[in-house]
Amino acid sequence: MGAGIMDYGKPVVFVLEAPMGMGKTEAALYAAYLLMASGQNSGFFFGLPTRLTSDRIHERIDPFLKKICEDKTVAKLAHGTAWLKAFWHPSFEKGGEAFKPGNPWFNPRKRALLHPFVVGTVDQALMSTLRVKHHFVRTFGLAGKVVILDEVHSYDGYTGTLIETMASQLTQIGCSVIILSATLTGKRRSAFFKNNQRVKERQKEACQLADESCDKTSSASYPLISGPGFALTSPPPKGQAYKIHLGEMSYFEMASHAVGKALQSHCVLCIANTVATAQAWYDALSAEMPADAFPIGLLHSKFPGFQRAAIEELWMTRLGKNKTNGPEDMRPNGCILVATQVVEQSVDIDADYLITELAPTDMLLQRMGRQFRHARKNRPCSTPETLILCGNPDQSDSLDEVLDAFGRSNCHVYAPWVLWRTRDVWKKRRMVTIPDDIRTLLETTYEEPASQCAPKAHLMEELHAQFLQHKNALADKAIGNLSTVTAMPVGDDNETCATRYSDLPSTQVLLVKDINSTGNEAQLTLLNETRVIVNAVRPDPAVTAQLYLNLVTIPSWLLLRYGLIETPAFLKKHFFETTPILLWDNNSGEIILNSRLTDFQYTPLKGLFRTSIPELSSSNHSNEKKSSEDSAIYLTDFESMDPFDKSKFDW
């Protein structure tokens, strides 16, 4: 890979496609090293989808820098909560040392990209393309660097459009851009080259060659390294066969099946599309499994930060790669981990058996990448198996019936057309070989409706039209926010600027066990048992760091029924955005907001969850003392919402 890039001579976009766990990160870093060593680029920026994945990669970068740099250089971590790590870092000090790479002069968010080596969320780079104040500072920080963008398949049409535009702009300021993905369609890959204006101006023929080359290789060649005008193949690794099963199961049928596998010594991973489903699965599994028969766990985004980190560390120890210099293998003799999409990528979890809700093909492949991830001698099976849980829309006569078949909550998360296409592709499979079948599965899933012969073609066409309408609307919104658009007002350069699009306003809440307040000062006992004193006029970074470990983000609309949502005066020096306090009763698990009992509860095993919401027809809830307006809001269940309106869904 490195030699091909070196020979090309000018900054362009390169796309590296390879299976999950094959070493794309290491390949990209090696290419960056060659580009920097040759003098073509100076420094790099490694952009990832989430703060968690950024933290994971950041831990792997410093050993790499020690090998390639003569002086002591560390990578700068850049995302919304990176300061939490910086606060405890030895370099967080005052004086002349602050101007050395990694030290405090680079801590302000706009200066972070000026550091020679940066790892962070892709949002930090995307702000260079947006209509925000001082976007040119970020552009200057990226100029001339190698920009590595990982997991690009995970972005929607809004962020994806921004990334394609940014890739084109970066090559014009001397950047080499390396795109990494395990599951990229040929059309998406070609978009990165078509948007590269520099290449168009230099050589139209090269673009045509790139398109032809990509078309020829898209159905067969994998792994693939491609750029404008060339496509390099690499011998694929030995294929891993997976047994595939599709079916419908109730929560308790699924639990019985999973428990049976765990009792046969399988390490079972169950991935749900929503937190609510993951929590319901966990309840069913806890009721079904024999007492203390094997470890069982739950991981999702509605745990406070300190607890989520502890759960991740525990399960990566149990199901991760064996440590050669550590204790003996901690892998259990059978276990079940229930999770949401938080384990889809950049998390080293290695399961024997996978149960997953239906998701788009690229996401299913990422989930399957959590199976047989490492070579082991003591597995209970020789072939990984994947059970895909999904309804059957083939007999549906209306869109409502299609949505009911897939589950409306699933249709809030993923486009119904993509789910239907995915099911049509996977229902024909009894075996899938990775990486051999990745290309075919992806291209077949996203092919245009004209080539489809589905029994319910009219419904498919309607869903596809809605899918395209939503996709095009997101792309238009992205284009409207670009820095080149001068007719609109300029936004602030901060973590809330529109690098991602969401129909769903959210609020971060602070979970506490006890509060003793005088108005401008309070003593808080946080959920992690830490006691802190907060003051309305005196900031304290150490206290702020502890507060951040006890935050959870939830949809704003779920809080509005409990009165005015605001930050208490004594917290305003610690949070820039609205952060109300949720008071947790340790005995009952109940949550109180503004002195009102909420429909939230919390337990250390399940995290923050919602209690059962009665149906509109229910008549046995006379004990609910609410106004008719409150009751109407309370009874609104996301299963009855329009799946194309995501403004009141996230759980």
Side-chain angles (χ1 to χ4, degrees), residues 131-164:
R131 196 177 56 256
V132 297
K133 295 177 182 177
H134 313 302
H135 68 87
F136 59 87
V137 177
R138 294 179 184 272
T139 303
F140 182 75
L142 292 171
K145 284 186 168 74
V146 181
V147 177
I148 304 169
L149 304 177
D150 200 1
E151 310 286 7
V152 293
H153 59 271
S154 63
Y155 302 111
D156 63 11
Y158 179 87
T159 306
T161 299
L162 293 179
I163 288 176
E164 290 170 13

Side-chain angles (χ1 to χ4, degrees), residues 453-490:
C453 300
K456 304 292 182 179
H458 65 290
L459 293 178
M460 289 286 283
E461 289 173 1
E462 188 171 346
L463 288 173
H464 184 252
Q466 291 172 326
F467 169 74
L468 288 181
Q469 181 181 6
H470 183 65
K471 179 181 176 182
N472 293 335
L474 290 178
D476 289 342
K477 290 179 185 295
I479 293 171
N481 282 328
L482 293 175
S483 59
T484 52
V485 179
T486 57
M488 300 295 288
V490 175

Side-chain angles (χ1 to χ4, degrees), residues 277-299:
T277 298
Q279 291 170 330
W281 281 2
Y282 181 81
D283 286 339
L285 286 162
S286 300
E288 181 69 21
M289 67 177 287
D292 300 322
F294 48 78
I296 179 173
L298 177 63
L299 177 60

